[in-house]
Amino acid sequence: MINQAATAFEALVARRGGDLLLLVDGSLRIVRAGLEAAELAERSADALTGMSLIAAFGSAPLDAIARQAAAAGEVVVGEADLGHLGERSFMVDAVPLPGGGLVLSLHDITALRRMERVRRDFVANIGHELRTPLTSIKLLAETLLSGAVDDAETTRDFATQIEREADHLAQLVDELFDLSTIESGQSRLEIESLDPEEVVAACVERIGPVAERREVAVRRAPPPAEQARALADPARLGQALINLAHNAVKYSHPGGEVRIGWAVAGSSVRFTVADDGIGVPVSHQQRIFERFYKVDRSRVRDRDTEQLGGSAGLGLAIVRHIAEAHGGAVGLMSEEGVGSTFWIEVPVARSA
């Protein structure tokens, strides 16, 4: 009967829709394995013959699903993590055969599980970011209603705080909308040939008032000797540079300096925003452009947060997506306690 099953198994492998297939006997030892299953086990298909599921894949859940199906004599469905370090997730269908043995069909659901984790993390982060300002607004309102409203100075102070928290909520909504629009591809880029010096000058002008309140100087870095033009959407590129400049001002010390400039880097124009602030620890640099990722909040004083608004950890993620939408890239060079240089690259505008 196993021979007949093996013949049917070969036909099934030939017609598979992307699933990994295994045929095991009544002792749950492998009789035949599809090529994809063999690759997952990092062995040849012939080498897998006669091996137990535990020995072949090192997966107790896979073995347990097969044993349950063999004992019950009915189809059993479950999940198992397989591959190197169990980095891939599979939905496993264990189907008993009339003469003994099983056919195991493994469907890769790694991407699905990853998306579910991203969704859960997203909801958790949004909940946290919304809860903080909403709780503050609620407490301020309750204090006013309990009698503090009769004190004009206290009322003005609380109203200012409520306005600040409302601005933070509005900023969060705007950043979420921007990020969603860019990630979904719904944001159409209006590509133009731009003068990098004009782009830098506009950024310096826009960030100037914010930097002045923080007592941080902002200046244009000396332009390079070579001439070039950038190929980019002026609004989106300006948004990305402003996000980087806000970040630089926020993490600079009073009396510090932020330098905004550009240079040609191969086939790209690289815009840079440098500061002499607190820097980014090496352990955070690989993840700094992920959405909702934040370096330790305690590194920024309350005064900074009041002047520049709260941060939901979306600004640098937006910069990364804007760069990628242009076919460019982002990056940073930073030394803790010395300062940081963030950069974004967009294509050079070539002449005809």
Side-chain angles (χ1 to χ4, degrees), residues 67-150:
R67 290 185 182 280
Q68 185 180 351
E74 59 185 21
V75 176
V76 173
V77 178
E79 288 189 31
D81 292 334
L82 303 170
H84 181 63
L85 300 178
E87 61 189 12
R88 295 172 64 185
S89 300
F90 288 86
M91 183 67 70
V92 181
D93 291 281
V95 183
L97 298 173
L102 304 168
V103 171
L104 301 175
S105 175
L106 288 71
H107 181 67
D108 195 336
I109 57 171
T110 305
L112 176 62
R113 291 293 176 258
R114 185 181 299 115
M115 290 175 61
E116 289 177 350
R117 287 194 296 272
V118 169
R119 178 186 58 81
R120 286 196 300 269
D121 291 345
F122 179 81
V123 172
N125 280 309
I126 284 295
H128 174 77
E129 294 298 334
L130 291 175
R131 185 181 300 112
T132 301
L134 287 175
T135 300
S136 179
I137 290 173
K138 185 174 186 298
L139 289 174
L140 290 166
E142 288 176 349
T143 304
L144 288 172
L145 290 173
S146 67
V149 69
D150 297 329

Side-chain angles (χ1 to χ4, degrees), residues 22 30 37 40-43 48 51-59 62:
L22 292 165
I30 297 171
L40 184 67
E42 299 180 348
R43 293 179 172 88
L48 287 177
M51 295 182 69
S52 67
L53 293 173
I54 288 287
F57 295 95
S59 172
L62 178 63

Side-chain angles (χ1 to χ4, degrees), residues 169-200:
L169 287 172
Q171 176 190 349
L172 174 60
V173 172
D174 288 343
E175 289 181 342
L176 282 171
F177 180 77
D178 272 345
L179 191 60
S180 174
T181 302
I182 296 169
E183 285 185 335
S184 65
Q186 296 176 7
S187 176
R188 296 179 62 86
L189 298 178
E190 301 294 335
I191 302 297
E192 300 178 15
S193 175
L194 305 174
D195 182 349
E197 275 298 296
E198 293 181 1
V199 174
V200 169

Side-chain angles (χ1 to χ4, degrees), residues 182 189 240 317-330 343-347:
I182 296 169
L189 298 178
I318 290 173
V319 173
R320 176 172 63 86
H321 282 289
I322 289 175
E324 291 173 352
H326 284 82
V330 294
W343 52 265
I344 175 173
E345 291 180 351
V346 297

